[in-house]
Amino acid sequence: MRGIMEQTRAKRTAPETRIILGITGGIAAYKAAELARLLVKQNIGVRAALTEAATRFITPVTMQALTGRPVLLNQWDCAENGMAHISAGRAADAIVIAPATADFIAKLAHGLADDLLSTLCLARDCPLLVAPAMNKQMWENLATQRNLAQLAADGATVLGPCSGAQACGEEGMGRMLEAEELAQEVAEFLQSNKSMNAISPTPTLPRRERELVRHSDERLDGVKILVTAGPTYEAIDAVRGITNRSSGKMGYAVAQAALEMGAEVTLVSGPTALEKPHGTQAVDVISAAEMFEAVKQRVADADIFIGVAAVADYRVAQPSAQKIKKGEGKLTLGLLPNPDILAYVAGLPQPPFCVGFAAESENLRAHAAAKRAAKKVPLLAANLAQQAIGADENELILFDDGGEHLLPRADKLAQARALLRHTAKLYRQGKPR
Ligand code: CTP
């Protein structure tokens, strides 16, 4: 085995970037093996550090074989002069904890150091990235949320989690991001951190403080964000109505991503089957008129407005309070135009920073650019309606003053996170148009 590892090592060029991959004791530990493989494939040097509990889920031998490096396990091991907790961290460009259990997150938030991995984190001189993985009840527990908020405030980057089927059989928030997505996030982070270090106007600033500066740019702590989501329903009579196929998934993902970045989120939602992201101020509406009222009442307080809802452009002129009885002849419905909520908000004397969406079935670029200009919004995210509506994934093109930015096909939460990072950047620049 040793021989094979040495050959593999010799074939690869020495990686410029090195991370410590901290693995803690949760069932998602098995995904860390794939994550290590994907990072190594991108020529990122990985040194695995496992807690005692992690070794119950995945073996050090597996991680050693995949990374080609000895695994860090025990603070009492004398092989590294008994100083592994200092020396290993010094050589790293980042520490990535994946999976991070609720227990380990609590330890990090309180600065505990009772095993090698927590000691490495406390003694580090490099950025910390944390990918939580836990049961949904543990995730929703206020103690966990408090600990995560503390970690984020201390400058750590929290990656995920996402919602989905859990190992315990339940469904909900707390599932660790997939290895592919984590590998991409980590690689992007390392890349931007490298360029940040290269162009830092304050090279004398210690690494840790530069990390905090970088993250304060990406965070939206205390920023008030108003989001519309889902379809609207325009009544025809007591039991029938006009609506559309919007599921609300994108709007809810936007709300979730904004919460993760520390924003205070109000979610005005049309009828959907989705659970509201924990921590949002939720306002349920049915029709476009109700959505418009809900937005008008709250917009003065918003720093950012994101219109994701598929608002019906028309409502029935004279909806019937009773069920309309079937007749022999033709039935004609009179329709009246609905107010354009996004255009109204963007046209306010002191508008919040406005982000619009465009669902187009053809000529995506031309229609989207025209829509952005007509509604006077600084940032517009466009997608093809037939690919996006109701789907779990989509491809977005962002239009702003700087041109177009493609967000390649990915699940809606990943897209929402990328959109929010872009929004935060433009919002901070403070010159939207
Ligand atoms: N929007 C809105 N109020 C409306 C219609 C649309 O706030 N009455 C917002 C949507 O939330 C989205 C953007 O405007 O952010 C574009 O919506 P879209 O349905 O793509 O376009 P429309 O303006 O309705 O134009 P069309 O249907 O002709 O494409």
Side-chain angles (χ1 to χ4, degrees), residues 166-243:
Q166 304 208 310
C168 54
E170 290 181 325
E171 182 88 17
M173 199 68 186
R175 199 181 144 90
M176 189 169 88
L177 297 183
E178 293 304 325
E180 292 76 19
E181 197 180 348
L182 279 178
Q184 192 183 338
E185 296 263 9
V186 170
E188 276 173 17
F189 178 93
L190 291 170
Q191 192 53 44
S192 67
N193 208 47
K194 205 184 271 177
S195 23
M196 165 95 190
N197 288 345
I199 58 163
S200 172
T202 50
T204 49
L205 216 59
R207 241 167 132 187
R208 172 110 188 97
E209 284 177 33
R210 290 206 301 273
E211 177 191 346
L212 284 170
V213 171
R214 199 190 95 91
H215 290 298
S216 66
D217 279 351
E218 282 190 359
R219 301 270 320 154
L220 286 167
D221 291 298
V223 175
K224 295 187 174 118
I225 303 191
L226 182 59
V227 181
T228 64
T232 64
Y233 175 92
E234 311 299 323
I236 295 173
D237 67 12
V239 294
R240 304 179 183 98
I242 301 172
T243 186

Side-chain angles (χ1 to χ4, degrees), residues 1 16 42 56 70 84 96 121 133 165-166 217 219-220 240 254 257 261 273 306 330-331 337 363 367 391 419 423 427:
M1 159 104 118
E16 270 182 48
Q42 295 183 59
R56 309 285 170 131
V96 181
C121 292
Q166 304 208 310
D217 279 351
R219 301 270 320 154
L220 286 167
R240 304 179 183 98
V254 164
M261 289 168 73
I306 309 182
K330 189 165 134 191
L331 176 71
N363 294 340
H367 284 322
L419 171 66
T423 304
Y427 171 70

Side-chain angles (χ1 to χ4, degrees), residues 221-398:
D221 291 298
V223 175
K224 295 187 174 118
I225 303 191
L226 182 59
V227 181
T228 64
T232 64
Y233 175 92
E234 311 299 323
I236 295 173
D237 67 12
V239 294
R240 304 179 183 98
I242 301 172
T243 186
N244 58 64
R245 288 170 44 216
S246 165
S247 62
K249 285 178 192 164
M250 191 65 213
Y252 281 50
V254 164
Q256 171 67 38
L259 284 170
E260 287 172 8
M261 289 168 73
E264 287 175 31
V265 181
T266 302
L267 178 61
V268 179
S269 173
T272 76
L274 304 174
E275 210 175 301
K276 304 280 179 325
H278 186 72
T280 47
Q281 190 80 24
V283 186
D284 286 319
V285 297
I286 306 281
S287 64
E290 284 177 24
M291 188 172 273
F292 189 35
E293 268 316 303
V295 168
K296 277 201 290 191
Q297 279 173 25
R298 290 162 181 84
V299 71
D301 205 28
D303 301 305
I304 297 176
F305 175 76
I306 309 182
V308 196
V311 187
D313 290 329
Y314 296 91
R315 67 181 180 280
V316 178
Q318 287 177 321
S320 164
Q322 305 306 329
K323 187 178 171 211
I324 299 173
K325 298 307 283 179
K326 168 171 69 192
E328 292 298 317
K330 189 165 134 191
L331 176 71
T332 305
L333 282 177
L335 300 177
L336 293 174
N338 274 329
D340 190 309
I341 302 171
L342 177 61
Y344 164 84
V345 174
L348 288 170
Q350 288 188 309
F353 181 83
C354 286
V355 182
F357 267 72
E360 307 295 343
S361 60
E362 51 166 1
N363 294 340
L364 182 68
R365 285 188 160 80
H367 284 322
K371 213 169 260 184
R372 182 172 99 90
K375 302 202 186 201
K376 299 188 174 57
V377 292
L379 177 61
L380 185 121
N383 52 23
L384 277 175
Q386 55 274 40
Q387 284 176 14
I389 291 189
D392 289 328
E393 294 189 339
N394 65 353
E395 181 180 285
L396 287 178
I397 305 177
L398 308 186

Side-chain angles (χ1 to χ4, degrees), residues 353 372 378 400-402 425-433:
F353 181 83
R372 182 172 99 90
D400 61 19
D401 281 354
K425 200 172 75 187
L426 296 186
Y427 171 70
R428 295 250 173 270
Q429 283 170 3
K431 39 178 182 187
R433 282 188 70 81

